[in-house]
Amino acid sequence: MTASDQILQQHGLTRDEYQRILEMLGREPTVTELGIFSVMWSEHCSYKSSRVHLRKLPTTGPRVLQGPGENAGAVDIGDGLAAVFKIESHNHPSFIEPYQGAATGVGGIIRDIFTMGARPIALLNSLRFGPLEDPLVRRTFSGVVRGIAGYGNSIGIPTVGGEIAFDESYTGNPLVNVFCLGIAKADEIIKAAASGAGNAVYYVGAKTGRDGIHGATMASAEFDEASAEKRPAVQVGDPFMEKLLLEACLEVMKTDTLVGIQDMGAAGLTCSTAEMGSRGGAGIAIDVSLVPQRETGMTPYEIMLSESQERMLLVVKQGREAEVERIFEKWDLHAVRIGEVTTDGRLLVKHHGDVVADIPARCLTDEAPVYQRPMAEPAYLAEARRLDLSSLGPPPPPADVFRRLLASPGIASKRWVYRQYDHMVRTNTLVVPGMGAGVVRVKETNRALALSTDGNARFVYLDPFQGAQLAVAEAARNVACAGGEPIGATNCLNFGNPERPEIMWQFGQAVEGISAACRALGIPITGGNVSLYNETDGRGVLPTPVLGVVGLVEDASKIARRAFAHDGDTIVLLGVGRGELGGSEYLKVIHGLVRGVPPVLDLPAEAALQRLLVAGIAAGLIRSAHDCAEGGVAVTLAECCFDTGLGATIDVPTIEAAAGAMAAVSTLFGESASRVIVSVEPSRAAELVRLAAGAGVPAAIVGRVGGDRIRVTIGRETALDESLADAERIWSEAIGAYFDRERAIA
Amino acid sequence: MRARVFVMLKPSVFDPQGTTVADALHTLGYASVTAVRQGKYFELDIDAKTEDEARRIASEAADKLLANPVIESYRIDIEKTEAAKR
Amino acid sequence: MRARVFVMLKPSVFDPQGTTVADALHTLGYASVTAVRQGKYFELDIDAKTEDEARRIASEAADKLLANPVIESYRIDIEKTEAAKR
Amino acid sequence: MKFAVVVFPGSNCDHDAYHAARHVLGQDAAFVWHKETSLGGADVVVLPGGFAHGDYLRTGAIARFSPIMREVQQFADRGGPVLGICNGFQVLLEAGLLPGAMLRNRSVKFQCEHVFVKVEQIDTPFTNACRPGQILRIPIAHGEGNYYAEPGVIERLEKNRQVIFRYTTADGAMMPEANPNGSAANIAGICNDARNVVGLMPHPERACELALGSADGYVVLESAVKAVTHGMFAAAR
Ligand SMILES: Nc1ncnc2c1ncn2[C@@H]1O[C@H](COP(=O)(O)OP(=O)(O)O)[C@@H](O)[C@H]1O
Ligand SMILES: [Mg+2]
């Protein structure tokens, strides 16, 4: 077929890309082939804009068992076990159909994990929405939360943490990033590669329907009015089917019958066949008429491109087919043989015996286009980075600021959300959501894993390099606050349209920032996901890299939580405040501004801080730990008091740089990095301070736990003196209050 | 007046619930039930003067709240007298 | 043949979902919707010769599976022609 | 003694019940697949939590037709101790081994959180190790735990002392605020006439180790061990 401009546009292919297809094939592609190229060369599958940048990420380390390139990364956690984890976005589908979009996002990442032979044991999610004042946003928000809950709860994997932030830029383009972690035997990790000519290729799971056709190309195009037409590209999740698939696949994997296995995610059968073939250096020949179909009259094009959920592709060793089929039958699943592995390196697709596509698999994967997109510093930057605090007028009284920050949805308790998630199923959850990084024990060992996802997009907006570094530092610090040594990370990069040089610049800078921070902190990146074209009507979201960090706790009985543990404990502040307000929650909530430069980050100091936390918690010295993030030291102190009934009093030094009218608010609410509030038994406070001094970490005894008020003095002068009960009420009720009068519909 | 609103997944959209119910019916021996689709059913009591007004309100409710047009379609029946029955 | 089965909570049983929908509709400004009840709706495609046979199968299915008699009641409509429409 | 943990397609607390029985209580435990027709000589049967058959249609509605349920019924008829936890409770209701039904939570949301329940009766195989009136802090995790039965049935349950667990405040007050889901009479768990079949919505198996935030649920499974080893329900096998 000779493709018209219109056809190419519908397939998201440029004329140049089409030209390359012609050269690769040496002929015109068939319709099915055009469809296959279109999804495999989409941004979503090919990473054509991001690949050159992602190569810079540090991906190796002594613990890395599997870096980027497979369905998920894996790190060694001792005892012969591996932690297998990854984060993935499902942004666009979640806007169109919040419940199903989020639910299938959860389903997709879970498949990535068990595809590796790992049993999934924990989920986290990072969410971004517009302001909750907007009824449409509320509907999206509650739908997404219900969707995550609906899928995760049903399949029985606990959601143990996450984070949520709000900004106008996400109103028409929410972000739904889901992280999943599983445990596998280190030497039994299964790869998604096809090999061994003559081995059978099996299809198992849900039947194929017309759903999600062009889902992958949709995820690679901006939203506009016309995208309403693409709407049927929404898939419905079936967590029950996935639970059966999960159990059946893990059972099959215990036998040594498999050569390789891959889930059918974006671009469905096309992607799984092309990638498995290409990874194994083999070819795959299938007949799509053998694929179980839910609808009648489906064309090969539709079958190859369908994104129906809950489907897997397996390559089975010759002679072991019956064994595999029997296990699936037990779970009421019917594994169907649809083809076999070949030696010619080609993806050969037949339909009732007729060849409908015949493409060298590498053309679809390794040889897909790669772009070095132009980059240019955005015009907004110079202006946005200028922050003249004196121009803001006199700040409101600290008590008012404090209350407004506690009620700000970004800071307020997320209990309304995580109460809907089963966070305890599997009886591994040692630290539940709301108490810091999620911590799950690894049964049959003494170890536990601390997990956190973080990313402050305002910082990235104001300085993508620095902001991305801060995201790495925060996620790792959260894990360290629980007692986990950061040993691996995954990332989800949510950005706007890469064809705009300024977006590409943000992207490039952010990747550099992640690389620099990960190198300095010794945390390898083992995988991740890129979501581009996050914009609506030409307006991009805040550049939002989300980092997911895995921390190893050697002794599961030695962990720390956010909340103070004992009345009378001594409060120690680790790190130093510089009164930095650039990009802060304070500026956003009180002045409606996203401005200034993000906080300074001293990476060696950050690394020392994290080592101190891990050592101090392992030694049983640190009894609670909570890092200072949004809302600064005042909000962090309050969060340490919540859920305990214990108030606290601390005294912090005046920050010289922040003199003048803003002195108090910058000291209380400034968001300087690398600070943690910890509590210790009074008799051991000196020991901690000594340990900190030895580690080169600034540490000051600032106060004590007790009473029923939250009190902060600055240089002995009272700056804040609030009732704990009132503060806690404001903080706990803020998000629910948006929904009290309109409970969601099931 | 009572509006009865049926919300169904569009025919092309996968219905895991209906499929599971069909499987269960087959296991119970009802092989003659060849397909099942499951939807939602709402009865709205509406304080409206005319049938048209009731229908207008019901379809606004369906558009805004009861159905998601991306994956679902709906149908509305108005029963003038039904309301009294209960 | 197609059987349409409506399953509703019995009038004496409190319906949390319907109440929630009613609340939400009031928030959206639909004060004239005085009450909402939410139920389930099934479309069963049945391979049956007669309407009676279809009805018998559908009501067996409802008795055994589709409705829980402790809390729910059901109603069945048979549409002879509907099946062809799809 | 031996626990049988029944596994329906979609059960997801099966491993938790198994872990608690085997690794925390140190008893023998085995999974029994729902298509099996024997309970394998178990002394106690646990129907675990989860989403059997996806909870599509109604919770527990499809699971009750599983082949193993005939065995469970017979085991119960012989007086064997049967515990339904959460989804397992819902299955017992649908199967008619216990009276009543579950409605959606009053909040219309799934709720996962610790609640307090009061042990109302200790003459069952799952509460005999409790103190009368003992308050347990145990998690719930369900979207449909709003227990309903007709007023006459509730009356009979009360009269026969079949309400075994009730949602209360931390100090045992039966207040509406302590009721997480709208259950009639704050009911969190009940037993059958013969008192050997118990169903409850909270998850005792998730609260058997202090590291998980509470060990208050231990006593429920411990009761089963006591009941069996003291021959209280020996007739079952
Ligand atoms: N989407 C979510 N899913 C689950 N848990 C969440 C979610 N959002 C926030 N939480 C929990 O709420 C707590 C506070 O979140 P956040 O303010 O980001 O924490 P931190 O200050 O430790 O980074 C954390 O324990 C987190 O796990
Ligand atoms: Mg955070």
Side-chain angles (χ1 to χ4, degrees):
Chain A
M1 61 176 289
T2 311
S4 67
D5 286 346
Q6 195 200 346
I7 284 186
L8 289 187
Q9 204 193 341
Q10 279 167 357
H11 284 83
L13 290 166
T14 65
R15 186 52 67 183
D16 284 349
E17 287 169 346
Y18 185 68
Q19 209 51 48
R20 278 190 66 179
I21 294 172
L22 294 179
E23 283 160 24
M24 282 173 162
L25 294 179
R27 59 176 166 81
E28 302 276 339
T30 65
V31 185
T32 306
E33 285 171 339
L34 190 68
I36 289 173
F37 273 105
S38 124
V39 290
M40 288 305 292
W41 285 11
S42 72
E43 189 65 55
H44 190 79
C45 292
S46 71
Y47 287 77
K48 58 189 168 191
S49 303
S50 57
R51 238 200 248 195
V52 291
H53 298 277
L54 299 179
R55 286 191 190 122
K56 296 173 187 153
L57 294 168
T59 58
T60 54
R63 287 188 183 274
V64 175
L65 299 170
Q66 178 62 59
E70 281 286 334
N71 285 299
V75 291
D76 189 333
I77 58 166
D79 295 313
L81 298 177
V84 177
F85 59 95
K86 194 176 172 214
I87 190 167
E88 211 160 66
S89 66
H90 228 210
N91 305 337
H92 293 87
S94 299
F95 179 64
I96 296 173
E97 214 304 309
Y99 184 96
Q100 295 297 346
T104 51
V106 174
I109 190 67
I110 291 171
R111 282 195 299 282
D112 278 336
I113 302 307
F114 74 74
T115 295
M116 302 282 293
R119 176 172 282 282
I121 63 162
L123 288 163
L124 290 87
N125 53 82
S126 279
L127 311 177
R128 299 291 183 276
F129 300 99
L132 286 177
E133 283 74 16
D134 181 339
L136 198 76
V137 170
R138 289 202 292 277
R139 200 172 172 184
T140 310
F141 178 88
S142 63
V144 163
V145 170
R146 273 192 306 111
I148 291 171
Y151 210 101
N153 297 352
S154 178
I155 198 166
I157 301 168
T159 298
V160 301
E163 43 126 30
I164 311 178
F166 303 85
D167 183 85
E168 290 78 359
S169 71
Y170 304 113
T171 297
N173 194 320
L175 304 184
V176 176
N177 293 180
V178 186
F179 169 103
C180 185
L181 177 138
I183 301 289
K185 293 233 170 72
D187 55 0
E188 289 178 9
I189 289 176
I190 297 182
K191 305 273 168 90
S195 62
N199 282 332
V201 174
Y202 273 86
Y203 170 113
V204 67
K207 290 182 180 167
T208 297
R210 291 196 172 87
D211 30 25
I213 291 174
H214 274 181
T217 36
M218 176 181 76
S220 311
E222 289 175 44
F223 271 120
D224 52 39
E225 290 296 317
S227 65
E229 288 164 32
K230 292 182 185 161
R231 276 179 167 184
V234 174
Q235 310 115 43
V236 170
D238 182 355
F240 174 53
M241 170 62 82
E242 181 132 319
K243 171 72 174 165
L244 300 181
L245 267 183
L246 159 65
E247 297 298 340
C249 286
L250 290 179
E251 196 169 325
V252 168
M253 288 163 176
K254 274 194 223 142
T255 65
D256 64 338
T257 51
L258 294 187
V259 173
I261 178 168
Q262 169 144 356
D263 71 303
M264 294 181 223
L269 196 50
T270 293
C271 188
S272 52
T273 48
E275 288 193 357
M276 283 188 84
S278 160
R279 278 204 200 96
I284 285 191
I286 58 171
D287 190 322
V288 289
S289 59
L290 301 171
V291 168
Q293 291 157 49
R294 205 177 69 227
E295 297 179 69
T296 50
M298 288 186 71
T299 63
Y301 178 99
E302 289 171 326
I303 297 168
M304 286 305 287
L305 267 56
S306 161
E307 294 194 352
S308 291
Q309 298 290 294
E310 292 93 18
R311 303 178 301 159
M312 307 289 288
L313 194 74
L314 290 72
V315 176
V316 178
K317 290 183 186 162
Q318 267 187 67
R320 308 295 293 275
E321 296 85 354
E323 241 173 292
V324 171
E325 286 176 21
R326 210 175 315 119
I327 292 173
F328 282 113
E329 287 298 331
K330 172 191 160 186
W331 294 93
D332 291 328
L333 298 169
H334 311 290
V336 180
R337 183 180 180 139
I338 60 166
E340 59 185 31
V341 177
T342 60
T343 49
D344 59 8
R346 301 181 80 84
L347 172 60
L348 182 72
V349 182
K350 293 186 192 170
H351 188 230
H352 294 295
D354 298 336
V355 173
V356 292
D358 183 3
I359 309 170
R362 292 181 59 86
C363 295
L364 299 169
T365 55
D366 301 346
E367 286 161 25
V370 170
Y371 295 132
Q372 190 101 43
R373 302 240 191 235
M375 303 194 281
E377 188 174 313
Y380 73 82
L381 209 59
E383 170 59 22
R385 289 168 60 87
R386 241 193 313 269
L387 173 62
D388 175 10
L389 290 175
S390 62
S391 72
L392 301 176
D400 290 2
V401 174
F402 181 66
R403 286 182 214 140
R404 283 175 65 187
L405 289 180
L406 290 178
S408 156
I411 285 178
S413 168
K414 308 299 186 295
R415 181 164 179 269
W416 187 91
V417 172
Y418 60 68
R419 190 168 88 137
Q420 298 185 52
Y421 302 150
D422 189 335
H423 44 263
M424 305 182 204
V425 62
R426 303 202 68 78
T427 59
N428 293 323
T429 312
L430 304 179
V431 178
V432 298
M435 278 292 166
V439 181
V440 285
R441 66 180 175 187
V442 182
K443 283 206 182 100
E444 290 163 31
T445 76
N446 281 327
R447 297 190 166 91
L449 296 170
L451 313 170
S452 186
T453 55
D454 287 281
N456 182 324
R458 285 197 295 263
F459 292 164
V460 182
Y461 175 78
L462 295 170
D463 182 342
F465 179 81
Q466 178 76 351
Q469 287 198 319
L470 286 161
V472 175
E474 185 184 355
R477 194 186 312 129
N478 279 333
V479 152
C481 280
E485 178 200 345
I487 57 168
T490 178
N491 67 102
C492 195
L493 305 173
N494 308 272
F495 287 76
N497 181 347
E499 292 157 44
R500 293 177 215 271
E502 63 280 11
I503 301 276
M504 215 47 228
W505 183 85
Q506 290 176 332
F507 185 86
Q509 289 285 302
V511 173
E512 303 266 3
I514 292 171
S515 303
C518 284
R519 274 180 225 281
L521 299 176
I523 309 172
I525 296 272
T526 65
N529 176 245
V530 176
S531 172
L532 300 175
Y533 297 96
N534 288 289
E535 6 195 304
T536 307
D537 296 328
R539 193 161 164 251
V541 297
L542 291 183
T544 314
V546 170
L547 267 291
V549 171
V550 176
L552 183 62
V553 182
E554 285 294 339
D555 178 351
S557 70
K558 302 263 173 50
I559 47 181
R561 295 177 175 79
R562 144 176 83 75
F564 290 139
H566 296 276
D567 198 359
D569 270 2
T570 300
I571 301 171
V572 175
L573 178 61
L574 305 176
V576 277
R578 300 186 191 86
E580 291 156 293
L581 284 176
S584 64
E585 191 83 7
Y586 167 83
L587 280 188
K588 177 71 183 172
V589 171
I590 307 296
H591 301 286
L593 294 177
V594 178
R595 256 187 180 281
V597 292
V600 167
L601 178 64
D602 176 343
L603 284 166
E606 176 71 42
L609 170 73
Q610 292 180 18
R611 279 193 301 268
L612 173 70
L613 287 163
V614 174
I617 293 166
L621 196 52
I622 292 174
R623 303 221 271 198
S624 78
H626 189 35
D627 91 305
C628 292
E630 290 87 351
V633 75
V635 166
T636 304
L637 179 70
E639 288 171 350
C640 294
C641 297
F642 296 153
D643 298 303
T644 67
L646 298 170
T649 301
I650 63 168
D651 180 73
V652 291
T654 316
I655 296 165
E656 277 160 37
M662 301 297 276
V665 294
S666 18
T667 306
L668 293 169
F669 308 112
E671 297 180 5
S672 296
S674 313
R675 289 182 302 162
V676 174
I677 292 183
V678 302
S679 64
V680 283
E681 201 182 321
S683 65
R684 301 187 72 183
E687 193 182 336
L688 177 64
V689 173
R690 256 196 323 275
L691 194 66
V697 176
I701 293 177
V702 290
R704 109 177 232 293
V705 177
D708 58 3
R709 303 191 67 78
I710 299 165
R711 216 178 269 136
V712 183
T713 60
I714 302 177
R716 306 275 161 228
E717 273 195 41
T718 300
L720 195 70
D721 187 357
E722 292 288 292
S723 142
L724 167 59
D726 289 348
E728 188 157 354
R729 191 171 329 106
I730 293 170
W731 176 78
S732 329
E733 291 174 2
I735 288 188
Y738 286 98
F739 295 92
D740 279 352
R741 296 246 46 231
E742 42 167 40
R743 289 174 290 166
I745 304 184
Chain B
M1 225 160 301
R2 172 166 299 169
R4 300 165 58 198
V5 183
F6 311 85
V7 178
M8 287 298 276
L9 288 170
K10 290 180 180 167
S12 62
V13 176
F14 177 43
D15 173 14
Q17 301 209 67
T19 309
T20 304
V21 171
D23 288 349
L25 286 174
H26 293 163
T27 312
L28 291 178
Y30 295 97
S32 59
V33 179
T34 53
V36 179
R37 305 272 300 167
Q38 182 171 344
K40 289 177 202 151
Y41 171 55
F42 300 89
E43 287 179 358
L44 274 54
D45 289 347
I46 304 179
D47 204 358
K49 298 266 151 5
T50 66
E51 215 172 294
D52 277 359
E53 191 190 344
R55 183 177 298 278
R56 185 184 52 76
I57 292 173
S59 52
E60 278 187 38
D63 284 334
K64 285 202 188 151
L65 197 66
L66 306 180
N68 179 348
V70 178
I71 51 171
E72 294 167 325
S73 58
Y74 63 86
R75 213 185 68 206
I76 295 173
D77 290 353
I78 304 288
E79 300 177 29
K80 248 191 291 204
T81 46
E82 274 290 303
K85 273 198 193 163
R86 203 176 270 173
Chain C
M1 225 162 300
R2 172 167 297 171
R4 300 165 58 195
V5 183
F6 308 84
V7 177
M8 288 297 277
L9 287 172
K10 292 177 180 170
S12 59
V13 177
F14 174 68
D15 172 10
Q17 299 194 81
T19 311
T20 303
V21 173
D23 286 352
L25 286 174
H26 294 162
T27 314
L28 290 177
Y30 295 97
S32 59
V33 179
T34 53
V36 179
R37 309 270 302 163
Q38 181 170 345
K40 291 179 192 134
Y41 169 58
F42 301 88
E43 288 178 358
L44 273 52
D45 289 346
I46 303 178
D47 204 358
K49 298 263 150 11
T50 66
E51 215 173 294
D52 279 357
E53 190 192 344
R55 184 177 298 278
R56 185 184 53 74
I57 293 174
S59 50
E60 275 186 42
D63 284 333
K64 279 206 191 150
L65 189 68
L66 304 181
N68 178 346
V70 177
I71 45 174
E72 294 168 325
S73 58
Y74 64 87
R75 212 184 70 205
I76 295 173
D77 291 352
I78 303 287
E79 298 177 29
K80 247 191 294 201
T81 47
E82 274 291 303
K85 273 196 193 163
R86 203 175 269 172
Chain D
M1 60 159 289
K2 186 169 171 188
F3 283 84
V5 178
V6 176
V7 182
F8 298 102
S11 291
N12 66 31
C13 304
D14 45 349
H15 287 266
D16 301 356
Y18 180 92
H19 171 78
R22 181 133 207 171
H23 301 299
V24 185
L25 280 98
Q27 301 297 323
D28 195 6
F31 293 117
V32 178
W33 181 234
H34 77 122
K35 286 180 190 166
E36 286 175 31
T37 50
S38 156
L39 289 164
D43 303 289
V44 176
V45 173
V46 178
L47 305 193
F51 288 68
H53 297 275
D55 271 359
Y56 297 150
L57 185 58
R58 280 186 321 280
T59 57
I62 300 176
R64 82 171 163 108
F65 295 108
S66 285
I68 197 65
M69 285 307 290
R70 203 168 313 150
E71 290 308 304
V72 173
Q73 174 84 57
Q74 285 170 12
F75 180 83
D77 290 346
R78 294 196 301 269
V82 176
L83 180 66
I85 302 169
C86 195
N87 198 230
F89 184 13
Q90 293 161 340
V91 174
L92 291 173
L93 293 172
E94 284 281 342
L97 272 85
L98 291 172
M102 285 299 172
L103 301 172
R104 292 291 301 266
N105 290 352
R106 199 176 31 188
S107 67
V108 202
K109 287 195 192 68
F110 190 96
Q111 286 168 235
C112 176
E113 59 201 332
H114 278 93
V115 298
F116 294 98
V117 294
K118 184 172 176 181
V119 180
E120 295 278 37
Q121 308 293 339
I122 62 165
D123 58 340
T124 78
F126 301 101
T127 50
N128 63 77
C130 301
R131 279 177 281 111
Q134 188 171 347
I135 310 291
L136 308 177
R137 182 171 169 273
I138 329 187
I140 55 167
H142 61 247
E144 299 190 26
N146 182 350
Y147 180 78
Y148 172 87
E150 283 180 19
V153 174
I154 301 275
E155 219 171 280
R156 211 179 58 234
L157 288 175
E158 297 282 12
K159 204 174 88 227
N160 295 343
R161 299 186 303 102
Q162 282 172 257
V163 178
I164 307 303
F165 300 101
R166 244 191 266 267
Y167 301 110
T168 64
T169 60
D171 35 0
M174 199 189 106
M175 320 255 278
E177 302 88 280
N179 185 340
N181 50 31
S183 287
N186 280 38
I187 287 173
I190 56 173
C191 72
N192 62 348
D193 289 320
R195 310 191 80 73
N196 61 318
V197 177
V198 171
L200 79 169
M201 287 314 290
H203 285 272
E205 85 286 13
R206 292 188 185 187
C208 288
E209 296 163 88
L210 271 178
L212 301 175
S214 168
D216 286 4
Y218 185 89
V219 73
V220 173
L221 297 179
E222 188 193 13
S223 293
V225 177
K226 260 178 94 176
V228 170
T229 46
H230 293 184
M232 286 189 232
F233 297 87
R237 298 176 69 170

